[in-house]
Amino acid sequence: MFDILLNAVLFLLNAILIWPVLRYNAHMLQQNTYRNTEQMVWLKINYHKQSSLIINFILVAGAAVTGNPVLFILSVAFTVFLIYYFNFLKKYNSKKPLVFTARVKRLLFTDILISALPVLIVFLTVKDALKISAVLVSLLAALQECMIMLANIINRPVENAIHSRFISMAKKILKERDDLKVIGITGSYGKTSMKYYLNALLSSRYNVVMTPGNYNTPMGIVITIRNYLKRTDQIFLCEMGARHVGDIKECCDIVHPQWGIITSVGPQHLETFHTLSNVQKTKFELADSLPDDGIIYVNMDSDPAALKAGDYNNVIGYSAMGKLKGNILRGYSAGNISMSATGTKFTVTAPDGSSEEFETRLLGMHNVTNLCGAVAVSHELGIELHDLIIPVRRLKPVPHRLEISNKSAGVTIIDDAYNSNPEGSKAAVETLGMFDGVKILVTPGMVELGDKQSEYNRRFGGYAAANCDYIVLIGHTNMKDIADGAKDAGFPESRIMSFVKLTDAMKYVYQIQDQGHKYILLENDLPDNY
């Protein structure tokens, strides 16, 4: 009787454990864009986070087979601990919570089905079913990192069919709108800012719809077309993101843009692109997809983008660094740039020689480049430079991109949490350096830079050393590289602090007693799968 009770408790607890483990792995698969290849890379890096499940399986097997009371107590205690641990991960990994989309629900259903099937077979065919099932469910809990990928493979035909159906519906909607001008926007960085700025400027004359937030995947674009596009809209600003070669072409095959904007080409997502050449090729899939009379706008301040632009004869360039050279139709340049802690002034000169001075609350040289591009597109669409002065002045920072998010007595927070690339991070700390006060950087560094990640984070440490009074590091991923880069640049080690959690880092920052107003730059925020 004791054996039956023991095995029943072990079975029940481990059956309960499967759910938080399954949910955790489904969350990571969603963040890894449902690609098993990316999930496997993540598992290789983060194997330690679930290795305790193997220990749990060994303890449960030992307790079930031997009936030893000590092993039973240990296995029960350890299983209960794991239930709490994986539920804690749900709360801890809350930057981008698991979204229970229809796809996720189908994925969870398939995983639960293939997990329950062997348990059901054991109960129907084996004499000592409870003991074996207790061990089996603990093994299934340990295998959830593989089971979720198996469920993903099983569901693939269904997902592909649903994917194709929704894309066909979106294409049909756009086919009926031959009056709609579609402008594709892509780039290693700057594309979301460009989309928001361009939407604000063009809305002064046209009815504009844009992909909301970070809806820059094929399905995000499809959702925009089906749920947001109205009959009265005249311009569709379609942001296009990419992690693999061919991703931009896939987006273009849905919307067939007439114009395109390439905001930059740089070392972003190198874990999946592998080389900068692949990044460059993928971004210019937008230019390759345009019709014969299409126009591609290229940020000439981005050297890899400017270099590739020379292969095309339909380029309108824009620059804030005087780099309008090479094979371009015409160009827009920003000059007379002056920056302060409260904003930026600059002049844009159009190809016909006309120019206008603009003021904006936006910070950073990269934003001058972005605004020059937005002004260029708007002007080419018939809006006079003079008529863009007020829209530019009214622009607000894109959320989490050098946004002054909190200004109180003695403290200003500069939120740049969505910035995670080498050029943008450099620009952010240089912007911080313009402020007159105590300049504090809080950052976990940059990821998805492949074998260049260490090098770029060391450089970032050097840039931070030249512009900050304190460097506060979060997590373990890039801590050593940033610190080493700062120390190599002569930054005092006593002003470099490290914390596991952002909350602990911020407690330290607020306790800094230096005289002067505190300017705290929150630079990047690693996703939950790091």
Side-chain angles (χ1 to χ4, degrees):
M1 184 65 183
F2 174 75
D3 283 353
I4 295 175
L5 180 62
L6 180 152
N7 290 317
V9 170
L10 290 176
F11 174 82
L12 181 62
L13 284 174
N14 281 275
I16 293 171
L17 174 62
I18 286 178
W19 169 246
V21 177
L22 165 58
R23 182 182 57 206
Y24 174 68
N25 282 282
H27 185 192
M28 296 301 103
L29 184 62
Q30 187 178 69
Q31 295 215 358
N32 288 318
T33 64
Y34 300 103
R35 295 178 187 261
N36 282 359
T37 51
E38 290 189 29
Q39 184 80 348
M40 290 173 70
V41 171
W42 175 81
L43 286 172
K44 184 178 178 180
I45 296 170
N46 296 277
Y47 67 91
H48 59 282
K49 292 183 178 179
Q50 300 185 77
S51 57
S52 54
L53 291 166
I54 300 297
I55 299 172
N56 181 66
F57 164 66
I58 295 170
L59 285 173
V60 171
V65 171
T66 65
N68 186 299
V70 175
L71 276 178
F72 169 68
I73 293 170
L74 281 174
S75 61
V76 166
F78 198 68
T79 304
V80 170
F81 163 75
L82 288 178
I83 292 171
Y84 277 99
Y85 169 69
F86 280 95
N87 277 306
F88 165 76
L89 285 181
K90 175 193 174 186
K91 296 178 181 178
Y92 184 74
N93 294 335
S94 58
K95 298 168 188 173
K96 190 176 180 182
L98 174 64
V99 182
F100 284 89
T101 61
R103 178 170 186 172
V104 166
K105 291 175 183 176
R106 290 190 293 269
L107 189 66
L108 295 174
F109 175 80
T110 302
D111 189 298
I112 291 170
L113 188 64
I114 60 177
S115 297
L117 190 59
V119 178
L120 181 61
I121 292 171
V122 167
F123 267 107
L124 293 176
T125 59
V126 178
K127 183 178 180 181
D128 200 4
L130 192 58
K131 179 188 293 185
I132 296 174
S133 295
V135 178
L136 181 58
V137 291
S138 68
L139 177 61
L140 287 168
L143 291 176
Q144 281 308 305
E145 58 187 32
C146 300
M147 300 291 278
I148 196 70
M149 290 190 288
L150 176 60
N152 199 30
I153 293 171
I154 293 170
N155 284 8
R156 190 168 295 156
V158 173
E159 299 303 335
N160 287 343
I162 293 171
H163 188 88
S164 297
R165 177 171 169 267
F166 282 130
I167 286 177
S168 296
M169 292 170 66
K171 285 181 176 180
K172 183 180 179 182
I173 293 170
L174 289 179
K175 192 174 182 180
E176 296 170 352
R177 292 295 312 276
D178 54 6
D179 59 324
L180 183 71
K181 190 167 197 67
V182 181
I183 302 176
I185 304 171
T186 192
S188 297
Y189 20 87
K191 55 185 176 291
T192 302
S193 296
M194 175 64 75
K195 176 183 68 177
Y196 276 98
Y197 302 159
L198 197 51
N199 177 63
L201 269 56
L202 292 175
S203 293
S204 65
R205 176 171 296 186
Y206 300 101
N207 294 325
V208 183
V209 63
M210 67 177 184
T211 47
N214 288 321
Y215 278 41
N216 57 18
T217 64
M219 290 313 295
I221 292 168
V222 167
I223 290 170
T224 303
I225 295 168
R226 296 183 66 219
N227 297 347
Y228 294 89
L229 181 64
K230 301 187 293 292
R231 289 296 309 178
T232 54
D233 287 325
Q234 298 165 290
I235 297 175
F236 175 24
L237 301 177
C238 183
E239 181 182 348
M240 302 176 181
R243 295 171 66 90
H244 302 82
V245 174
D247 283 356
I248 299 301
K249 182 180 185 302
E250 184 179 358
C251 295
C252 290
D253 287 344
I254 298 171
V255 300
H256 301 291
Q258 293 97 28
W259 283 6
I261 306 170
I262 298 176
T263 61
S264 60
V265 172
Q268 186 81 316
H269 301 308
L270 287 181
E271 285 188 353
T272 49
F273 278 120
H274 305 299
T275 67
L276 185 59
S277 176
N278 283 337
V279 177
Q280 184 187 61
K281 175 184 176 182
T282 303
K283 299 307 176 186
F284 274 84
E285 288 171 359
L286 175 55
D288 295 332
S289 299
L290 298 180
D292 292 340
D293 60 348
I295 296 175
I296 187 74
Y297 294 80
V298 178
N299 172 13
M300 305 301 283
D301 293 340
S302 171
D303 291 338
L307 181 65
K308 184 66 174 175
D311 297 341
Y312 299 82
N313 57 13
N314 60 340
V315 173
I316 292 180
Y318 61 93
S319 171
M321 299 180 182
K323 293 186 177 182
L324 294 176
K325 299 177 182 178
N327 181 36
I328 61 174
L329 289 173
R330 50 191 176 272
Y332 288 75
S333 62
N336 301 322
I337 302 166
S338 62
M339 288 188 249
S340 69
T342 57
T344 309
K345 291 182 180 181
F346 60 97
T347 299
V348 173
T349 302
D352 60 7
S354 62
S355 64
E356 200 67 60
E357 185 178 73
F358 295 91
E359 294 182 28
T360 178
R361 288 177 286 175
L362 303 179
L363 303 172
M365 189 67 180
H366 59 298
N367 273 323
V368 176
T369 302
N370 287 333
L371 284 175
C372 183
V375 167
V377 175
S378 302
H379 189 247
E380 292 287 324
L381 281 169
I383 305 177
E384 295 297 330
L385 293 182
H386 179 77
D387 294 333
L388 293 168
I389 292 175
I390 293 176
V392 169
R393 187 184 300 150
R394 288 175 175 171
L395 281 174
K396 297 179 181 178
V398 178
H400 311 297
R401 289 171 173 86
L402 279 183
E403 177 187 21
I404 304 294
S405 63
N406 178 45
K407 192 169 183 179
S408 57
V411 177
T412 295
I413 302 291
I414 306 169
D415 182 356
D416 202 37
Y418 278 9
N419 194 359
S420 59
N421 64 83
E423 289 187 21
S425 296
K426 177 177 181 288
V429 293
E430 288 176 345
T431 300
L432 177 65
M434 296 189 309
F435 289 84
D436 184 16
V438 184
K439 293 158 283 193
I440 306 166
L441 170 67
V442 180
T443 183
M446 299 167 285
V447 295
E448 297 186 341
L449 296 172
D451 57 7
K452 294 284 188 180
Q453 183 165 311
S454 177
E455 176 186 339
Y456 282 118
N457 278 290
R458 285 182 72 96
R459 288 186 193 175
F460 179 45
Y463 301 141
N467 292 281
C468 306
D469 298 310
Y470 289 87
I471 298 174
V472 181
L473 305 174
I474 306 169
H476 304 288
T477 308
N478 302 304
M479 185 183 295
K480 184 177 185 303
D481 292 320
I482 298 173
D484 286 348
K487 286 184 283 188
D488 288 347
F491 196 80
E493 189 171 354
S494 61
R495 293 192 170 216
I496 303 174
M497 300 298 294
S498 302
F499 299 90
V500 175
K501 297 181 182 178
L502 175 61
T503 51
D504 294 332
M506 294 306 290
K507 285 179 184 177
Y508 166 77
V509 165
Y510 276 100
Q511 291 171 3
I512 293 175
Q513 298 297 318
D514 289 23
Q515 292 294 319
H517 191 93
K518 291 180 188 175
Y519 292 92
I520 304 168
L521 171 64
L522 304 181
E523 183 63 17
N524 199 10
D525 186 12
L526 296 189
D528 292 319
N529 50 339
Y530 278 91

